[in-house]
Amino acid sequence: MTATVTAELWSDWPCAGGTRLGMLTLARGTYSDAVDNSDALSATVLDDTRATPALRRVVMLTDPAGVLRGYRLAAAGRTRTDRLWAIRGASALTDLASYGLVRTISGGLTSYAVGGRYTATEFIDTLVLANLSADGLSHWARGTIDTTGYETITAPEAGWTRLEWCREVADRFGLELRARFNGSTSILIDLVTRTGGTATAVHVAFGK
């Protein structure tokens, strides 16, 4: 399947205070939504000094249906043709692996072996999002949670990252983990009923 999308280069996620650096002209490439969180963008873009790809910058794509997707650049370099850049981006969920460990602090002591018996919503709200907010990362928010049951989950002494917590909750409740962009307002953490499907790569046509 081929689609024409718009692509913008940002210094960071728009909802995290990023600055729009300019439009990207996509020569060719693919993007996908994957059930294993390996959402990816792989493309070549025309060289434009007004919007130069670089590691850790983000690409925001809007497809013909108006769906907004975002990818953190994990690779960016010139191709053998100097007028082209090859870029590779990863899901916003990968950010949750780099923000540190979920923890509680009591009496001056920090503990990483946190947990308890909660619903999936409570795990996301009281552990993942509460820790993100405490670290000034309030651009993450809870999205759709497709369950109301309870599970008992406790992290090991060494602790888990926010991404590891999200994945563990998804696995225990039999759900799929998704990151969804709520316009320029927030990135939503969705835990939705498993479809059992695999991602279909969408091929990007030349255009802005």
Side-chain angles (χ1 to χ4, degrees), residues 55-69:
L55 296 182
R56 302 297 298 166
R57 288 181 174 178
V58 301
V59 175
M60 304 301 299
L61 297 183
T62 304
D63 70 16
V67 176
L68 183 66
R69 293 176 172 84

Side-chain angles (χ1 to χ4, degrees), residues 35-203:
V35 297
D36 62 355
N37 315 137
S38 61
D39 307 358
L41 165 70
S42 178
T44 54
V45 300
L46 298 187
D47 188 19
D48 187 337
T49 56
R50 296 169 297 179
T52 302
L55 296 182
R56 302 297 298 166
R57 288 181 174 178
V58 301
V59 175
M60 304 301 299
L61 297 183
T62 304
D63 70 16
V67 176
L68 183 66
R69 293 176 172 84
Y71 302 91
R72 176 80 69 183
L73 288 184
R78 291 183 182 276
T79 66
R80 291 182 179 179
T81 302
D82 287 341
R83 285 184 51 85
L84 292 176
W85 282 79
I87 60 174
R88 180 169 52 83
S91 165
L93 288 171
T94 59
D95 279 9
L96 295 179
S98 62
Y99 289 151
L101 303 177
V102 171
R103 78 280 183 192
T104 59
I105 301 175
S106 178
L109 298 177
T110 301
S111 174
Y112 300 102
V114 298
R117 183 169 178 79
Y118 300 113
T119 65
T121 295
E122 290 169 334
F123 277 118
I124 297 301
D125 286 352
T126 63
L127 293 177
V128 177
L129 292 177
N131 266 242
L132 287 168
S133 180
D135 289 342
L137 301 166
S138 57
H139 56 280
W140 287 90
R142 171 167 45 86
T144 301
I145 307 290
D146 282 346
T147 184
T148 57
Y150 285 81
E151 286 287 343
T152 300
I153 306 174
T154 301
E157 290 291 336
W160 284 332
T161 65
R162 278 81 169 200
L163 181 57
E164 288 172 322
W165 260 108
C166 287
R167 285 177 170 167
E168 184 69 18
V169 172
D171 287 345
R172 290 292 190 93
F173 285 89
L175 301 172
E176 287 179 358
L177 173 63
R178 292 274 190 264
R180 175 165 52 92
F181 285 85
N182 181 25
S184 60
T185 303
S186 59
I187 306 173
L188 302 177
I189 297 173
D190 288 343
L191 294 173
V192 296
T193 303
R194 285 181 173 168
T195 62
T198 52
T200 299
V202 178
H203 295 270

